[in-house]
Amino acid sequence: MTTDTALSDLDFNPGELAVGPDVADLLFREAHTVSTFTDDAVSDEQIQAAYDLLRWGPTAMNTLPLRLLLVRTPEARASLAEHMSEGNRARVLAAPLTIVAAADTNFHEHLGVLVPHLPNARDMFAGDAAGREAMARSSALIQVGYLIVALRATGLHAGPMGGMDAAGIDADLLADSGWKSLLVINVGLPAGPESVRPRAPRLEFSQVARTL
Amino acid sequence: MTTDTALSDLDFNPGELAVGPDVADLLFREAHTVSTFTDDAVSDEQIQAAYDLLRWGPTAMNTLPLRLLLVRTPEARASLAEHMSEGNRARVLAAPLTIVAAADTNFHEHLGVLVPHLPNARDMFAGDAAGREAMARSSALIQVGYLIVALRATGLHAGPMGGMDAAGIDADLLADSGWKSLLVINVGLPAGPESVRPRAPRLEFSQVARTL
């Protein structure tokens, strides 16, 4: 996967992949949701390395509403665990790092920088809090998809969890931020083969695609 | 990027990437939203190759609600274009392939297969249409993130568009399917350097992340 040997694989070849099988396995085919992790610490630098990939992914109008709350202290961890569904509490308390992925409903404050070709973009959204929240949630969820792939591209493994009281998290951990929690992701290295469930089935292409 | 040369790069190395710089560029750093494409056809097999990656990405309870409507015929293309915002119409008419990414509000019908460890999963959702739609939209949007990365991993380029009348698309192209359109993605190969805008700015890690 050095640049020299890789370039020829980037040539377009219909029906084949433009990445090697090892990359396809790492990012998608062999990647599993992880529930128990080793004690190895996960640094801010590692999450930043993932962010430095995901931030290039497209969002509506380049609004980039995804925000990341890195939960590290025992106090913050305990507060978050209280708002998780019962089966997820111990995982949040034990993971090396837990990230609350959130949508910033005040994303419009950055649009003067992010959308230079539309000078009035900020003002278009300033009076429409409900519209901002819907748009923030949609684009931030797409960015969660980028985030999970990007974490894997840094060598980390992810354990995303939707079973939580989002309003409780917002009130206790995100008060006055304008951030709305979307899901919670444990991050680290898998403790061992027992850290993942057996692979559950997936739908076939013919079950998800139609042609008109 | 052959398997032999790649494996050493998959060793975990904190702060560095587990994929080569060419892969990081292809999937994220050098990838751009494309607005005009070459005339090269995009086959079902190419989209299936992308699906065969994205389908392994995690979704809430393994619900896998993303659905793909591949718009090919002139009639379907014209019908879709009518529901796009003005700036997106010509793009939909000209792209080699346009995909309507949608959320299947009847995803629960597959849960007997997809969630074998919860035999009553289908019935939990059967009476809650509003809850199903919210869950379908959230997980399908995360899958849209996987889809865009997966298309790039097959060598294709994507032009995602949110400027559309989703209800109109649902009524005209997705009637009686239970699918709800999320966004529309043109797919193909870029026509040339003028097919992409100059890169817009992105937020820094310090602007999107907080630690507790």
Side-chain angles (χ1 to χ4, degrees):
Chain A
M1 215 179 323
T2 66
T3 303
D4 285 336
T5 59
L7 285 177
S8 63
D9 290 311
L10 295 179
D11 295 340
F12 184 68
N13 197 349
E16 296 189 8
L17 296 181
V19 298
D22 52 325
V23 171
D25 287 348
L26 177 77
L27 302 183
F28 290 106
R29 298 187 307 208
E30 294 297 324
H32 281 250
T33 288
V34 171
S35 55
T36 54
F37 298 87
T38 66
D39 291 335
D40 295 282
V42 176
S43 68
D44 283 7
E45 289 68 28
Q46 286 172 274
I47 305 305
Q48 180 164 357
Y51 177 73
D52 285 343
L53 295 178
L54 83 90
R55 67 176 177 161
W56 301 113
T59 54
M61 283 182 65
N62 199 36
T63 43
L64 298 171
L66 181 67
R67 302 291 180 268
L68 306 175
L69 181 71
L70 312 188
V71 179
R72 293 193 177 279
T73 64
E75 296 73 23
R77 207 178 274 281
S79 177
L80 176 59
E82 269 180 41
H83 299 295
M84 301 303 295
S85 65
E86 203 173 326
N88 290 330
R89 275 179 207 154
R91 295 176 186 174
V92 162
L93 294 172
L97 175 67
T98 302
I99 299 175
V100 178
D104 186 356
T105 60
N106 294 321
F107 67 84
H108 63 302
E109 299 295 352
H110 297 284
L111 296 186
V113 172
L114 296 178
V115 193
H117 61 286
L118 284 178
N120 67 336
R122 181 198 168 281
D123 298 341
M124 283 169 48
F125 288 103
D128 181 14
R132 286 205 311 272
E133 179 162 344
M135 194 160 168
R137 286 183 182 274
S138 289
S139 276
L141 283 164
I142 295 173
Q143 288 185 287
V144 166
Y146 305 147
L147 169 64
I148 290 172
V149 178
L151 287 168
R152 292 168 172 176
T154 69
L156 290 167
H157 292 245
M161 298 169 292
M164 66 196 211
D165 168 17
I169 294 174
D170 297 351
D172 271 6
L173 286 89
L174 300 174
D176 302 322
S177 69
W179 297 11
K180 302 288 182 187
S181 57
L182 298 170
L183 79 171
V184 173
I185 307 173
N186 289 325
V187 180
L189 298 178
E194 77 290 351
S195 303
V196 299
R197 274 191 224 265
R199 176 72 89 189
R202 295 299 196 269
L203 298 174
E204 297 301 322
F205 185 63
S206 60
Q207 296 177 289
V208 305
R210 295 184 184 184
T211 301
L212 277 187
Chain B
M1 216 179 324
T2 66
T3 303
D4 284 338
T5 58
L7 284 177
S8 63
D9 291 309
L10 294 179
D11 295 339
F12 183 67
N13 198 348
E16 296 189 8
L17 295 181
V19 299
D22 52 324
V23 171
D25 287 348
L26 177 77
L27 302 183
F28 290 106
R29 297 188 306 208
E30 293 297 326
H32 281 249
T33 288
V34 170
S35 55
T36 55
F37 297 88
T38 66
D39 291 335
D40 295 282
V42 176
S43 68
D44 283 6
E45 289 67 27
Q46 287 172 272
I47 305 304
Q48 180 163 358
Y51 178 73
D52 285 343
L53 296 178
L54 82 91
R55 67 177 178 161
W56 301 113
T59 54
M61 285 183 63
N62 200 36
T63 43
L64 298 172
L66 180 67
R67 302 292 180 265
L68 306 176
L69 180 70
L70 312 187
V71 179
R72 293 193 177 281
T73 63
E75 295 74 21
R77 207 178 274 280
S79 177
L80 176 59
E82 270 180 39
H83 299 294
M84 301 303 294
S85 65
E86 202 172 326
N88 290 330
R89 275 180 208 153
R91 294 175 187 176
V92 162
L93 294 173
L97 174 66
T98 301
I99 299 176
V100 178
D104 185 357
T105 60
N106 294 321
F107 66 84
H108 63 302
E109 299 296 352
H110 296 285
L111 296 187
V113 172
L114 296 179
V115 193
H117 61 287
L118 284 178
N120 67 335
R122 182 199 168 280
D123 298 340
M124 283 169 49
F125 289 103
D128 182 13
R132 285 206 311 272
E133 179 162 345
M135 194 160 167
R137 285 182 183 275
S138 289
S139 275
L141 283 164
I142 295 173
Q143 289 184 288
V144 167
Y146 306 146
L147 170 64
I148 289 172
V149 178
L151 288 168
R152 292 168 172 176
T154 68
L156 290 167
H157 293 244
M161 298 169 291
M164 63 197 214
D165 168 17
I169 293 174
D170 297 351
D172 270 6
L173 286 89
L174 300 174
D176 302 322
S177 69
W179 297 11
K180 302 288 182 186
S181 56
L182 299 170
L183 77 171
V184 173
I185 307 173
N186 289 325
V187 179
L189 299 178
E194 78 289 351
S195 303
V196 299
R197 275 191 223 266
R199 176 72 89 188
R202 295 299 196 271
L203 297 174
E204 297 301 321
F205 186 61
S206 60
Q207 295 176 291
V208 305
R210 294 182 185 186
T211 302
L212 278 187

